[in-house]
Amino acid sequence: MSKEVPVPSTQEARRLSSAAVVEGLASNDDAAVLAQLGYKQELRRNFTMIEVFGIAFSIMGLMPSIASTLAYSIPAGPVGLVWGWFLASGFIFIVGLAMADLGSAMPTSGGLYWWTHYFASPKTRNALSFLVGYSNTLGLIGGLCSIDYGFSLMFLSVIVIARDGDWTPSNGAIYGVFLACVLCHGILASCLSKIMGKLQTVFVVLNMVLILATIIALPVGRASQRNPRTYIFGETANLTTWPTGWAFMLSWLSPIWTIGAFDSCVHISEEAANATKAVPFGILMSIGSCWLFGFVVVIVIAACMSTDLESILSSPFGQPMAQIYYDAVGKNGTLGLMSLLFIVQFLMGLSIVVAASRQTWAFSRDGALPFSSFFRPISKSFGYIPFRAIWGCVFLAAMLGLLTLIAPAAALALFSLAVAGNNVAWGVPIFCRVVWGQKKFKPGPFYTGRFSIPLAWTAVVFLAFGIVLSMFPVGGPNPTAQSMNYTVVINVAIWGGALLYYFIDARKWFTGPKITINLDELSEEQEEALKEEGLEVQGTDSGMGRSLDEETVAVKSEKTT
């Protein structure tokens, strides 16, 4: 049986966190909760509970995300568009409940791989923690790529509409806009740290404005051509060569991709006030809001879109949503709505850079990434943010974005990269908790009680199904090189590469999360217990890691002196 990782008591944690309070980074309670998880407070807690919800909701970017993923849902007809959204969103809410249980109990920026290491068996925890950390980090960066790729398509579609469809952007033009967008996100995420929390409220408002504009403009513009209720809720279609039932299941990819950023609440937890309540609130409110408002939006789209589904998917504007807008409000109205759409999409990218950089920083804090010592420092001059981690994410996104130069199929793999990578990262810690670590689980202020385990198992099964779903070619079996879904290639390379890296080299030095609180202030019993657990201690002054044996010897020598 695995031992529970020892942490300071609440009273000791409050004493260890006093430095963070003096520096104005956090309240005593928040810093104490983090100290109990083994970390000192290094980031400033600028995010309120509403702003934690805001970062997840703004990354989800309901209208832009629905617009970007209509190619998954429209082939199944209105039934796939409407009921696919409703059912998949319900299962995603169950995943959110399972994650909210963990986020309330143990809120830390590297939560997913931290939970995995804490709950897994002694033989598996290092390898699984390593896998989850890499899958989550690259999944978030993949999400950034897919968001900014969607932005570039929307931005260029406005030019196409303005030229009445007489111009088609090249792959090079698409990548050029993508690269400029990624670089802008890096600059803004670096310079606006002090007001980033408050900006999330602005982003939420803009999202709601776009949603309202859409659900008002479409019915008004199509007043004499709206589809009947029987069509909206009961008409099936199948524009794929898969069986109709499977085409309906593939329509679930739209909500699965859209409502896929709720773990950002976990990654921002070390910058959130009252994190034990803010994290679960942010997770559930963001999923619930998208479930509800998204259901309204897809009903409106199904009511107002043309019944010629193939013409929507093959729109000369390059965006199905642009065609739906054009049919309803004409050229000028479409230019206005699409402009608002790509602005909101741009803000989505900015928010996910923040979330991805915090996960990257947390993973480098525990020494798991290449060049961890480079990415690990916090920049005080830029407002206590992981400046280097931000630009590491930007650089890697720019490299992954080169896939857009190959073919549209390779570019679409960026969408599924985020789905499959994050599903593994969400599912493994939930699985580890119910299989190996339930006795170690100590609920936080939010807890689903006796429903917790059934909800967790439902979440694990759904996430596993989502991984399989994301790897299917959406057009049908026997794909060509152009219609192939390259997610299976990319993700297997990531997962296989992470595990290969671990077993060849990282197993020699990666022992899971490090302890960054000052070991000098722990008791000898706690020092010995930490040593037995094999946890590594990060020096709190120099920022250089030392093994527990070295740290313990140093502490005992000082006491002897």
Side-chain angles (χ1 to χ4, degrees):
M1 181 178 292
S2 64
K3 298 179 181 179
E4 183 172 341
V5 178
V7 294
S9 66
T10 301
Q11 184 176 1
E12 289 170 312
R14 287 180 181 277
R15 175 166 52 83
L16 294 171
S17 65
S18 59
V21 178
V22 171
E23 292 180 27
L25 299 180
S27 70
N28 210 350
D29 288 340
D30 283 321
V33 168
L34 188 59
Q36 286 183 288
L37 300 178
Y39 295 122
K40 66 174 181 175
Q41 184 72 46
E42 297 182 73
L43 305 175
R44 178 169 280 128
R45 293 186 182 263
N46 292 321
F47 285 75
T48 66
M49 186 179 292
I50 294 297
E51 291 163 357
V52 171
F53 150 74
I55 193 170
F57 187 74
S58 62
I59 293 174
M60 292 174 186
L62 189 61
M63 270 309 307
S65 295
I66 290 175
S68 297
T69 55
L70 284 176
Y72 294 122
S73 52
I74 285 181
V79 165
L81 181 64
V82 173
W83 294 116
W85 181 277
F86 184 82
L87 293 174
S89 298
F91 280 108
I92 296 168
F93 191 80
I94 291 175
V95 176
L97 287 168
M99 188 176 291
D101 276 346
L102 296 174
S104 180
M106 295 169 284
T108 175
S109 293
L112 302 176
Y113 73 85
W114 197 100
W115 302 336
T116 300
H117 189 271
Y118 183 78
F119 289 121
S121 67
K123 291 183 178 180
T124 62
R125 66 185 183 188
N126 286 345
L128 288 178
S129 177
F130 199 76
L131 171 64
V132 167
Y134 270 93
S135 190
N136 192 205
T137 301
L138 294 173
L140 286 167
I141 296 174
L144 168 62
C145 289
S146 60
I147 288 171
D148 285 2
Y149 177 67
F151 166 83
S152 64
L153 293 180
M154 290 178 190
F155 179 84
L156 292 169
S157 73
V158 171
I159 300 176
V160 176
I161 294 167
R163 297 186 178 184
D164 297 317
D166 292 336
W167 176 73
T168 301
S170 65
N171 289 342
I174 293 172
Y175 180 73
V177 175
F178 168 88
L179 182 60
C181 181
V182 171
L183 293 175
C184 285
H185 285 148
I187 294 169
L188 294 175
S190 301
C191 300
L192 300 179
S193 62
K194 294 181 180 179
I195 59 170
M196 189 59 69
K198 292 179 173 54
L199 284 176
Q200 302 309 315
T201 304
V202 177
F203 297 172
V204 169
V205 170
L206 287 174
N207 269 278
M208 295 307 300
V209 167
L210 179 57
I211 292 169
L212 288 173
T214 299
I215 62 179
I216 292 173
L218 289 182
V220 170
R222 299 277 290 183
S224 60
Q225 298 173 290
R226 291 200 292 264
N227 300 315
R229 181 173 54 189
T230 53
Y231 179 84
I232 298 168
F233 297 105
E235 183 75 16
T236 61
N238 186 3
L239 301 185
T240 75
T241 55
W242 293 110
T244 301
W246 191 245
F248 172 76
M249 299 311 302
L250 288 171
S251 71
W252 288 28
L253 285 171
S254 176
I256 286 174
W257 186 84
T258 299
I259 313 176
F262 48 88
D263 64 316
S264 59
C265 300
V266 176
H267 302 310
I268 209 71
S269 60
E270 292 184 35
E271 295 170 78
N274 198 9
T276 56
K277 294 181 180 178
V279 170
F281 174 84
I283 291 171
L284 298 178
M285 277 297 294
S286 58
I287 297 174
S289 298
C290 280
W291 186 4
L292 173 62
F293 293 120
F295 190 52
V296 173
V297 167
V298 294
I299 289 173
V300 170
I301 290 175
C304 300
M305 68 183 182
S306 167
T307 55
D308 185 358
L309 302 181
E310 291 187 356
S311 69
I312 296 175
L313 292 176
S314 59
S315 169
F317 305 136
Q319 281 283 298
M321 195 68 217
Q323 187 65 53
I324 293 170
Y325 280 146
Y326 192 89
D327 292 340
V329 296
K331 178 178 177 179
N332 292 333
T334 302
L335 288 173
L337 288 169
M338 287 300 296
S339 296
L340 185 56
L341 199 70
F342 76 65
I343 290 171
V344 173
Q345 181 93 352
F346 179 86
L347 301 178
M348 289 169 60
L350 176 57
S351 294
I352 201 171
V353 166
V354 175
S357 64
R358 273 48 172 184
Q359 160 61 22
T360 303
W361 169 75
F363 210 33
S364 66
R365 175 174 61 182
D366 291 320
L369 290 177
F371 312 109
S372 284
S373 60
F374 174 79
F375 290 115
R376 191 248 182 276
I378 292 295
S379 172
K380 295 182 180 180
S381 58
F382 280 91
Y384 290 90
I385 60 169
F387 178 83
R388 295 180 182 179
I390 289 172
W391 284 97
C393 292
V394 167
F395 176 78
L396 186 54
M399 295 299 101
L400 287 173
L402 291 171
L403 286 171
T404 61
L405 296 174
I406 300 174
L412 287 175
L414 296 174
F415 282 80
S416 298
L417 169 63
V419 172
N422 282 323
N423 275 22
V424 165
W426 301 338
V428 171
I430 298 171
F431 176 83
C432 290
R433 176 204 149 191
V434 293
V435 172
W436 293 300
Q438 184 59 29
K439 292 183 179 179
K440 298 168 68 173
F441 177 63
K442 296 178 181 178
F446 175 89
Y447 181 47
T448 52
R450 60 193 178 93
F451 299 105
S452 181
I453 293 179
L455 288 171
W457 277 117
T458 303
V460 169
V461 172
F462 173 73
L463 291 170
F465 173 71
I467 293 169
V468 175
L469 196 64
S470 70
M471 294 186 176
F472 270 77
V474 294
N478 305 313
T480 64
Q482 288 72 36
S483 61
M484 167 72 178
N485 185 342
Y486 290 92
T487 304
V488 63
V489 178
I490 294 173
N491 278 92
V492 169
I494 289 172
W495 298 328
L499 290 175
L500 192 65
Y501 179 31
Y502 174 79
F503 285 109
I504 290 177
D505 182 53
R507 64 182 176 83
K508 302 172 186 176
W509 46 264
F510 181 75
T511 55
K514 297 178 181 178
I515 303 299
T516 63
I517 53 178
N518 193 342
L519 190 61
D520 293 359
E521 298 176 347
L522 298 181
S523 66
E524 291 188 15
E525 290 78 10
Q526 286 174 322
E527 293 169 14
E528 188 61 31
L530 288 171
K531 178 181 176 181
E532 290 176 2
E533 283 287 334
L535 292 174
E536 190 175 341
V537 176
Q538 185 84 8
T540 55
D541 295 324
S542 65
M544 300 298 293
R546 289 189 285 173
S547 70
L548 187 60
D549 288 333
E550 293 170 342
E551 187 74 19
T552 304
V553 169
V555 171
K556 289 183 177 178
S557 298
E558 290 171 7
K559 289 180 179 178
T560 302
T561 304

